[in-house]
Amino acid sequence: MDILQRLARFLDRPMFPWKSLIVGFSVGQYVFEGLLSLRQYQILQEKKPPKALRGEVSQEVFDKSQAYGRAKAKFGFVAGLYGQAQNLGFIYYDILPKLWGLTGLWLTRYVPERFSGEITHTLIFFFTFSLITTVLSLPTSIYSTFVLEEEFGFNKQTPKLFITDLLKGQALMVAFGAPILSAFLAIIQKTGNSFFSYLWLFGVAVQVLTITIYPIVILPLFNKLSPLEEGSLKTGVEGLAKRLNFPLKELYVIDGSKRSAHSNAYFYGLPWKKHIVIYDTLIEKSETEEVVAVLSHELGHWSLSHTTKLFGIAQAHMFYIFALFSVFINNRSLYQSFGFHKEFPIIIGFILFSDALAPMDTVVKLLMNILSRKFEFEADAFAVKLGYSTELARSLIKLQIQNLSTMDADWLYASYHFSHPILPERLGALGFYGEEKTDKKEDEKVVKAADREL
């Protein structure tokens, strides 16, 4: 506590150039990520598949995958520039203090006095700000869905479904956001300088509650979950779960094809009651043993405690965020740099603090992706031990082809952006080359991506 208080006094300096610093962070991150994307774009112009895939992926599929990757990269450049222009525009034109003042005026004119106060003001500000950002994001969202994804045959959404999803999302934000944000502010107001520990406990409780109600309340609003029909797939998955002592409660098929042709499978739930969800597109395009192999990889994450470890890391990160926020919450120089001279709203402090934390978030993202890729290799190895080496490799190849996923990547771009290893790395780690497996010595070699060590 004493260290945090000393740090708070050190950082709260009159005339400290917080605005210039945060703008510098934002532009620096944009330039850095843009340079990484340019490196990746060079890879996406290659004409031949990586050696590890030349016997598995046709030239036609590779060309289409490369074209899809280039189209997403070009869109990413434009969308990134658009987002950066928005961010700088909000800062340059002092949108936050102007919007806070405007919503304060609405509060005074239209809200009964007994409901006045910072919490009500913050809710009006937050939902107005969210509405503005949602509207501003519509051009890129519409283009991504109805032009880019449509061009490559992935989009299954209709304009009606798109609008319905958007309205449902906004309704959920109001329904859940209002009480959570109100509690967030009330905890800070009532617990003094030690608010971050109470806030952390509240955050943990919210996550557990979300895990509990997500399949009951939220997921059915967007997708239909149907029990997996009796048959070899259900028998195989239930047998796998029983073999691993996985606490399987329900086994569902989700209508992922309602919105996209992409495929996936996952599990969720509390430690003692888990649900497995398989996309209908995965079942449609894969053999039974291949689907079971994919789930053996997913259950490997559970068996190896990857989900528990990541949950623990997330809680530690959240505690670190809230503790550091206590350093900035009363930083008058930060507020004043952005046009707040008389009022110092908590929500504004948190927004500005999040912007100031951007460089550290970049480092955290890099480290988490490194850890995630390590976990993916371990889950693949777990599936191999269960006897699904060939089936998993075949399924990964099919998923790669069906999703037109990136088949090669610049090592620096992949290190920063990818939470999963690219396919040549995974096949190499599985010891899969066509129908042949490498011997033990080959398994011990360093895994390479397109003949370049990561």
Side-chain angles (χ1 to χ4, degrees):
M1 288 292 295
D2 188 50
I3 294 176
L4 294 176
Q5 290 173 2
R6 288 203 302 267
L7 182 59
R9 289 192 295 270
F10 175 77
L11 292 174
D12 191 4
R13 300 182 177 187
M15 305 305 292
F16 189 84
W18 283 110
K19 181 179 283 191
S20 298
L21 193 65
I22 288 175
V23 168
F25 288 160
S26 178
V27 173
Q29 183 175 359
Y30 171 75
V31 170
F32 171 69
E33 293 182 354
L35 291 174
L36 291 182
S37 296
L38 287 174
R39 291 173 61 101
Q40 177 63 10
Y41 197 83
Q42 299 303 311
I43 301 295
L44 293 172
Q45 291 180 310
E46 292 182 355
K47 303 299 183 183
K48 296 291 183 182
K51 288 182 180 180
L53 298 180
R54 287 179 188 173
E56 306 297 332
V57 177
S58 69
Q59 186 64 45
E60 180 183 0
V61 169
F62 178 74
D63 290 342
K64 192 172 182 180
S65 171
Q66 291 288 84
Y68 182 47
R70 289 194 298 271
K72 288 194 296 182
K74 291 175 182 176
F75 171 72
F77 287 129
V78 175
L81 181 61
Y82 177 61
Q84 186 65 20
Q86 285 182 48
N87 187 42
L88 294 179
F90 270 64
I91 293 174
Y92 180 78
Y93 291 105
D94 288 328
I95 298 299
L96 289 181
K98 290 176 181 176
L99 186 60
W100 180 262
L102 177 62
T103 52
L105 186 61
W106 294 346
L107 178 68
T108 303
R109 287 183 177 179
Y110 305 114
V111 178
E113 187 175 350
R114 65 179 180 276
F115 295 117
S116 62
E118 184 177 353
I119 291 179
T120 306
H121 190 174
T122 297
L123 292 176
I124 297 172
F125 168 84
F126 176 76
F127 292 128
T128 304
F129 184 75
S130 297
L131 180 61
I132 292 171
T133 55
T134 298
V135 171
L136 289 174
S137 70
L138 281 177
T140 53
S141 182
I142 291 171
Y143 182 88
S144 175
T145 302
F146 294 106
V147 179
L148 197 158
E149 293 293 299
E150 186 80 29
E151 179 183 350
F152 289 90
F154 289 121
N155 177 50
K156 304 299 180 182
Q157 277 191 297
T158 62
K160 179 181 177 181
L161 183 59
F162 179 87
I163 294 171
T164 301
D165 283 352
L166 184 66
L167 294 176
K168 287 178 181 178
Q170 293 299 307
L172 283 172
M173 183 183 65
V174 173
F176 290 97
I180 291 174
L181 181 55
S182 298
F184 174 89
L185 297 170
I187 289 170
I188 295 175
Q189 289 175 345
K190 295 180 182 300
T191 55
N193 291 333
S194 60
F195 73 84
F196 60 87
S197 56
Y198 296 98
L199 207 55
W200 174 72
L201 291 172
F202 173 71
V204 173
V206 168
Q207 290 181 63
V208 173
L209 178 63
T210 302
I211 292 171
T212 304
I213 68 172
Y214 174 79
I216 303 170
V217 178
I218 300 175
L219 188 57
L221 293 174
F222 297 92
N223 289 95
K224 181 180 179 182
L225 292 178
S226 305
L228 181 63
E229 296 179 356
E230 296 292 335
S232 58
L233 178 56
K234 185 174 183 179
T235 301
V237 175
E238 289 178 340
L240 175 65
K242 185 176 181 180
R243 180 180 175 186
L244 299 175
N245 294 317
F246 179 77
L248 178 61
K249 176 67 175 177
E250 299 288 350
L251 185 54
Y252 293 115
V253 177
I254 189 170
D255 58 342
S257 58
K258 180 180 180 181
R259 290 177 176 78
S260 173
H262 292 296
S263 302
N264 200 0
Y266 62 93
F267 67 88
Y268 65 90
L270 297 169
W272 57 88
K273 187 173 68 173
K274 298 290 187 182
H275 309 268
I276 291 177
V277 178
I278 308 172
Y279 277 54
D280 55 355
T281 48
L282 179 62
I283 296 174
E284 179 186 344
K285 298 175 182 177
S286 303
E287 301 294 330
T288 296
E289 283 301 303
E290 292 170 348
V291 177
V292 176
V294 170
L295 290 171
S296 73
H297 165 93
E298 295 300 327
L299 298 194
H301 286 305
W302 171 83
S303 184
L304 297 169
S305 300
H306 292 165
T307 50
T308 302
K309 292 172 183 175
L310 289 174
F311 184 80
I313 292 171
Q315 306 322 304
H317 182 246
M318 184 169 62
F319 185 84
Y320 146 77
I321 292 292
F322 289 153
L324 201 55
F325 178 46
S326 69
V327 172
F328 285 84
I329 190 170
N330 294 314
N331 191 316
R332 296 295 184 260
S333 62
L334 176 61
Y335 283 99
Q336 290 167 359
S337 292
F338 287 86
F340 290 87
H341 299 283
K342 294 180 180 180
E343 291 185 273
F344 309 101
I346 294 172
I347 187 65
I348 297 298
F350 192 75
I351 292 172
L352 298 179
F353 159 72
S354 300
D355 290 339
L357 202 64
M360 186 58 68
D361 283 344
T362 299
V363 174
V364 170
K365 175 184 176 180
L366 173 63
L367 295 177
M368 289 304 298
N369 279 340
I370 291 172
L371 179 63
S372 177
R373 290 195 297 273
K374 176 178 180 294
F375 284 170
E376 291 301 319
F377 280 125
E378 291 177 357
D380 282 351
F382 183 87
V384 170
K385 290 179 181 178
L386 294 177
Y388 292 105
S389 175
T390 300
E391 293 84 356
L392 179 59
R394 285 295 181 196
S395 183
L396 291 174
I397 292 169
K398 282 187 176 182
L399 286 171
Q400 192 85 6
I401 292 171
Q402 292 163 14
N403 295 330
L404 294 180
S405 302
T406 302
M407 299 190 185
D408 198 2
D410 171 75
W411 71 271
L412 187 56
Y413 180 90
S415 298
Y416 181 76
H417 281 291
F418 288 176
S419 61
H420 286 56
I422 59 174
L423 184 59
E425 294 179 295
R426 296 183 73 173
L427 294 181
L430 290 170
F432 181 86
Y433 297 93
E435 290 293 341
E436 298 181 0
K437 298 181 182 179
T438 60
D439 58 24
K440 186 175 180 181
K441 290 182 180 179
E442 286 292 326
D443 287 338
E444 295 172 350
K445 289 184 178 180
V446 177
V447 178
K448 297 185 177 182
D451 305 322
R452 296 187 309 280
E453 289 186 7
L454 279 183

